[in-house]
Amino acid sequence: MSAIKLIVGLGNPGKEYEQTRHNAGFWFLDELAWQWQAVFKEEKKFFGEVARAARSEGDVWLLKPTTFMNRSGQAVAALAQFYKIKPEEILVVHDELDIACGRIKFKLGGGNGGHNGLKDTQARLGTPDFYRLRLGIGHPGEKALVVGYVLNKPSAEDRQKIDDSIAKALQGMPRVMAGEFEDAMREMHSK
């Protein structure tokens, strides 16, 4: 079983997107970096902000692509290829419309559910077989409303639910990092 060597938070760069639902992956990574005392710095060759966390299980790279969501895979593939990180050693953290706001799901592989960041990451890695931490943001109800929904700020109540789910996901990270994926899944999926 492979250990996680790269954790990617998906989002869009820039002040105008900072507080939008689509940036839930960035929010998670900012919290993780703070806990792990890792500092992000811009790395042009990796198309994103990168931090290296020295962990007991070895170095773990944290990546926030600055390519915009639709080209997230460009950053993921660049860093993974440079450090010879296999897809199954990658965890991608992203917002998820198909999960109720405040819920989380952890899994290996699967489809992309129309998520452009996942779609590009799968295409660039050549496989869907990487871990995903899906942070539920809920669905606006109609497909036509999705773009406006993900690119807007959640209500204060929804933001609190998302923040609470991030806190819960962070509690499960020691199990993820120890390779105890089934236990991490059970812990994160419980209410």
Side-chain angles (χ1 to χ4, degrees), residues 99-116:
I99 298 176
C101 188
R103 301 295 307 271
I104 49 180
K105 296 282 182 192
F106 174 76
K107 70 175 190 170
L108 172 64
N112 58 50
H115 192 292
N116 290 325

Side-chain angles (χ1 to χ4, degrees), residues 60-78:
V60 179
W61 294 96
L62 307 180
L63 171 65
K64 295 192 299 186
T66 53
T67 54
F68 287 93
M69 189 64 80
N70 298 356
R71 293 197 0 252
S72 299
Q74 180 180 13
V76 178

Side-chain angles (χ1 to χ4, degrees), residues 50-178:
V50 178
R52 185 163 109 194
R55 307 284 304 152
S56 58
E57 55 274 342
D59 284 349
V60 179
W61 294 96
L62 307 180
L63 171 65
K64 295 192 299 186
T66 53
T67 54
F68 287 93
M69 189 64 80
N70 298 356
R71 293 197 0 252
S72 299
Q74 180 180 13
V76 178
L79 195 144
Q81 287 166 2
F82 187 85
Y83 290 109
K84 297 178 178 31
I85 298 170
K86 300 180 204 121
E88 64 273 16
E89 298 170 331
I90 299 172
L91 171 62
V92 175
V93 184
H94 64 91
D95 60 302
E96 178 59 67
L97 284 162
D98 297 329
I99 298 176
C101 188
R103 301 295 307 271
I104 49 180
K105 296 282 182 192
F106 174 76
K107 70 175 190 170
L108 172 64
N112 58 50
H115 192 292
N116 290 325
L118 285 180
K119 206 180 288 184
D120 192 56
T121 300
Q122 288 177 345
R124 303 277 185 143
L125 292 177
T127 181
D129 295 331
F130 50 88
Y131 285 91
R132 298 105 186 277
L133 178 56
R134 304 157 68 206
L135 302 171
I137 60 167
H139 197 287
E142 286 181 48
K143 192 175 182 180
L145 301 175
V146 165
V147 172
Y149 182 77
V150 299
L151 294 179
N152 274 294
K153 192 176 170 178
S155 66
E157 182 184 348
D158 280 359
R159 178 61 196 250
Q160 187 60 57
K161 287 179 182 176
I162 295 167
D163 287 346
D164 290 348
S165 72
I166 287 171
K168 182 174 184 176
L170 288 166
Q171 288 175 348
M173 285 306 291
R175 290 183 190 268
V176 171
M177 298 313 295

